[in-house]
Amino acid sequence: MSETESNGYSIQEIQSGNQSEFAKLIDAHSNQIYRLALKMLNNPQDAEDVLQNTFLKALQNINKFEGRSRISTWLYRIATNEALMIIRKQRPEVNLNEVEDDDNYSVNPPIQLIDWCCLPENELLSSESKLELENAIQNLSETLRIVFILRDIEGLSIQETSQILNLTETAVKTRLLRARLNLREHLSAFYGDRLLARSKE
Amino acid sequence: MVAHENCQSMLLFLSDFVDGELNQDFCMEIESHLAQCPDCSIVVDTLRKTISLYRNSSLETEQVPEDVRERLFKCLNLEEFTNK
């Protein structure tokens, strides 16, 4: 079953101007777009702007969609560009085109070597832990964060992520590994303290 | 993980390994290294857990609030389709 069939809307109908089908497309994909925007911008108002602009542009350009990618990938691409545009406008000092030595597949070796996987789920996902998860992802550079969001949170493939970001697959893999290891270090420090606190109780 | 040569080279294939994208021979090589190296085992386990925590906590909780959805439909002139 294709993505559009499983979501209950028809691209053909949308392209011929059927508004009710476009409404179904919005409900099928708006959570994904809003989540991406919120994680990239960390601000509900900016995330709402990205959401609105993404679907406005999708509506204006739906006839240019040729079905060469999944419609969700096409929407993610629009949303990513919208989010990066807001970052450029608000913080021009951020270098979004930075070439992070992407072809040099090297990373910093892990420092935190504490096994915190044994912590119970209610502790791993307590409100304090969720705040820390958010802090950690916001501490990543924008160029690493967007790769982690698309690949690991939204579950896109390396190929889809590279198409959305106009990067080589090698560059996506390098950034993904750096993002994952960076988050692991951050969380290991946090959960390692939780583990220590539990052992003293 | 820091000093040993095998640990250093494993690090570069860590993402492919946790994503299950390595060929069988390579995978077995890494698994046999993990069986002997507690530090690398911890890195692999905590890396997998890090990814799953983000995926699960984000997908479950971050939804478009109802008022945001209403404004979205309004700005697209689709108010008549607001009721799902």
Side-chain angles (χ1 to χ4, degrees):
Chain A
M1 192 185 279
S2 74
E3 182 185 29
T4 51
E5 284 166 346
S6 64
N7 281 313
Y9 58 80
S10 151
I11 295 293
Q12 230 175 353
E13 283 293 315
I14 295 172
Q15 288 178 326
S16 59
N18 185 326
Q19 289 189 313
S20 124
E21 289 295 296
F22 192 78
K24 287 183 197 167
L25 175 130
I26 295 174
D27 279 328
H29 299 290
S30 54
N31 283 338
Q32 300 165 329
I33 301 305
Y34 187 69
R35 197 164 51 221
L36 175 137
L38 209 48
K39 282 261 180 290
M40 268 318 279
L41 302 165
N42 199 24
N43 175 313
Q45 185 54 56
D46 290 339
E48 185 171 347
D49 289 346
V50 168
L51 183 71
Q52 292 187 356
N53 288 337
T54 298
F55 284 103
L56 265 171
K57 289 195 173 163
L59 189 58
Q60 287 160 359
N61 294 291
I62 193 71
N63 285 316
K64 292 181 191 160
F65 177 72
E66 295 171 349
R68 280 184 297 195
S69 65
R70 291 192 292 163
I71 187 88
S72 55
T73 309
W74 188 69
L75 292 170
Y76 277 129
R77 189 183 178 113
I78 302 173
T80 299
N81 288 336
E82 288 296 318
L84 294 179
M85 204 153 40
I86 289 180
I87 293 170
R88 275 193 198 99
K89 205 186 285 176
Q90 291 177 347
R91 292 158 52 216
E93 73 281 5
V94 174
N95 183 3
L96 297 170
N97 301 317
E98 89 188 88
V99 181
E100 293 200 21
D101 202 8
D102 283 329
D103 293 325
N104 177 4
Y105 204 53
S106 66
V107 285
N108 294 329
I111 298 165
Q112 300 281 349
L113 296 169
I114 310 145
D115 189 357
W116 44 268
C117 297
C118 53
L119 280 168
E121 282 295 304
N122 62 2
E123 180 129 12
L124 288 169
L125 287 173
S126 67
S127 35
E128 196 188 346
S129 300
K130 282 183 179 167
L131 267 181
E132 203 56 37
L133 285 168
E134 203 48 49
N135 284 342
I137 199 167
Q138 293 306 325
N139 271 335
L140 290 177
S141 70
E142 282 76 6
T143 48
L144 296 188
R145 198 185 321 144
I146 188 65
V147 170
F148 183 79
I149 294 170
L150 290 169
R151 176 75 179 104
D152 280 343
I153 296 180
E154 299 305 322
L156 300 189
S157 67
I158 295 285
Q159 192 193 19
E160 287 169 324
T161 307
S162 72
Q163 284 167 354
I164 289 171
L165 298 172
N166 279 333
L167 291 172
T168 63
E169 292 189 18
T170 308
V172 168
K173 283 186 174 194
T174 306
R175 291 184 189 192
L176 181 65
L177 179 60
R178 287 178 183 155
R180 285 172 165 181
L181 286 173
N182 188 312
L183 293 171
R184 194 207 70 88
E185 285 295 317
H186 193 126
L187 295 190
S188 294
F190 173 76
Y191 288 125
D193 286 348
R194 312 299 310 157
L195 208 57
L196 197 65
R198 281 175 73 89
S199 70
K200 286 180 182 166
E201 278 168 10
Chain B
M1 190 87 199
V2 180
H4 200 277
E5 199 181 313
N6 287 347
C7 305
Q8 295 274 2
S9 56
M10 204 209 78
L11 197 55
L12 303 181
F13 299 100
L14 203 52
S15 266
D16 287 336
F17 178 69
V18 300
D19 290 340
E21 285 172 5
L22 288 182
N23 70 44
Q24 204 180 350
D25 288 350
F26 213 169
C27 224
M28 281 167 65
E29 213 174 292
I30 288 185
E31 275 163 5
S32 97
H33 172 69
L34 291 177
Q36 300 159 24
C37 181
D39 285 353
C40 280
S41 281
I42 289 174
V43 172
V44 168
D45 291 345
T46 50
L47 189 71
R48 282 198 173 118
K49 196 74 186 171
T50 297
I51 297 166
S52 75
L53 281 176
Y54 274 103
R55 183 163 296 182
N56 297 338
S57 65
S58 305
L59 299 188
E60 278 168 18
T61 55
E62 286 161 11
Q63 313 267 322
V64 178
E66 197 47 44
D67 57 329
V68 174
R69 180 177 176 273
E70 277 172 23
R71 287 194 291 274
L72 172 63
F73 275 70
K74 193 173 175 195
C75 93
L76 294 163
N77 293 323
L78 294 171
E79 292 109 311
E80 59 182 299
F81 304 105
T82 307
N83 292 330
K84 288 185 189 179

